């Protein structure tokens, strides 16, 4: 039996992403000394919330060819088979399998697919709140974060450094900032 969670301002329904107030981003170690960040310019998501917030369902996708790391050459390399293989696998997808409360923190479990490989992941979910924008749209805000090993998804290109180590780290942090709009 699932416990019912009460959240002030919560409404059941179908929510879609507000792309001008949302972001799908990632960061990875570069040369083991710093982090390179990037984001996907094109993405979409739908959230279907039940009467109980723990019954929420999420489906999301990001257009691989829209990757932006502020370096066109690197973005082009990321689109190749060395990394995302955009021509063969044009989207990254996430489909939730459950929402749970663990020690006071929300977790969203689901299946993440990158480069045709699907693996279970858990996003740490930080709820921002609800509000009505100046145009009368009811919105929800949140941040979701997870860390994945890119090698598990077949994204394993790397280069050895003459000083030791490798060019690209294995662990990738994915951070999703969302403002979602309740549909009428």
């Amino acid at each position: 039996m699932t416990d019912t969670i009460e959240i002030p301002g919560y409404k059941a329904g179908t929510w879609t992403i507000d792309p001008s107030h949302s972001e799908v981003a990632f960061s990875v170690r570069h040369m083991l000394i710093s982090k390179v960040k990037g984001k996907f310019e094109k993405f979409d998501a739908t959230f279907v919330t039940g009467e109980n917030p723990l019954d929420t369902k999420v489906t999301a996708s990001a257009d691989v060819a829209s990757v932006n790391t502020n370096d066109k050459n690197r973005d082009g390399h990321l689109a190749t088979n060395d990394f995302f293989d955009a021509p063969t696998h044009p989207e990254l997808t996430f489909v939730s399998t459950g929402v749970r409360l663990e020690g006071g923190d929300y977790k969203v479990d689901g299946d993440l697919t990158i480069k045709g490989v699907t693996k279970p992941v858990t996003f740490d979910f930080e709820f921002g709140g609800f509000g009505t924008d100046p145009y009368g749209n009811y919105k929800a805000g949140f941040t979701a974060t997870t860390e994945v090993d890119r090698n598990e998804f077949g994204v394993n290109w790397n280069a050895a450094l003459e000083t030791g180590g490798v060019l690209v780290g294995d662990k990738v942090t994915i951070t999703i900032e969302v403002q979602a709009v309740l549909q009428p």
Side-chain angles (χ1 to χ4, degrees):
M1 180 169 178
T2 303
D3 292 330
T4 299
I5 303 298
E6 300 279 333
I7 301 173
Y10 176 85
K11 293 182 181 182
T14 299
W15 303 73
T16 57
I17 228 166
D18 175 350
S20 64
H21 295 105
S22 301
E23 181 179 74
V24 176
F26 61 90
S27 66
V28 63
R29 286 258 171 224
H30 183 256
M31 295 179 55
L32 306 177
I33 61 172
S34 65
K35 289 185 179 177
V36 168
K37 296 182 177 188
K39 62 184 177 178
F40 294 97
E41 300 288 347
K42 296 178 184 174
F43 52 89
D44 195 20
T46 300
F47 312 90
V48 178
T49 54
E51 291 302 318
N52 182 350
L54 297 179
D55 294 332
T56 296
K57 303 290 184 203
V58 179
T59 57
S61 63
D63 178 353
V64 171
S66 75
V67 69
N68 181 352
T69 64
N70 292 321
D71 182 313
K72 292 291 180 200
N73 289 332
R74 180 174 45 225
D75 297 345
H77 190 200
L78 288 172
T80 71
N81 190 44
D82 285 346
F83 289 94
F84 294 124
D85 192 10
T88 306
H89 305 286
E91 288 188 328
L92 308 177
T93 61
F94 176 79
V95 177
S96 67
T97 57
V99 178
R100 58 193 161 90
L101 193 56
E102 183 178 289
D105 297 321
Y106 289 99
K107 308 285 185 181
V108 178
D109 300 314
D111 293 323
L112 177 64
T113 302
I114 301 173
K115 202 175 177 180
V117 177
T118 302
K119 297 284 183 183
V121 299
T122 297
F123 279 91
D124 294 323
F125 183 90
E126 179 185 336
F127 182 67
F130 296 101
T132 302
D133 71 13
Y135 307 102
N137 298 305
Y138 196 66
K139 293 188 168 186
F142 64 85
T143 302
T145 306
T146 194
E147 183 179 84
V148 299
D149 182 332
R150 64 188 183 91
N151 296 295
E152 292 181 359
F153 293 92
V155 182
N156 49 20
W157 180 89
N158 224 329
L161 300 172
E162 65 180 56
T163 56
V166 291
L167 188 63
V168 183
D170 292 337
K171 301 293 182 192
V172 179
T173 300
I174 301 169
T175 304
I176 303 169
E177 298 287 348
V178 170
Q179 207 175 95
V181 182
L182 181 62
Q183 298 305 295

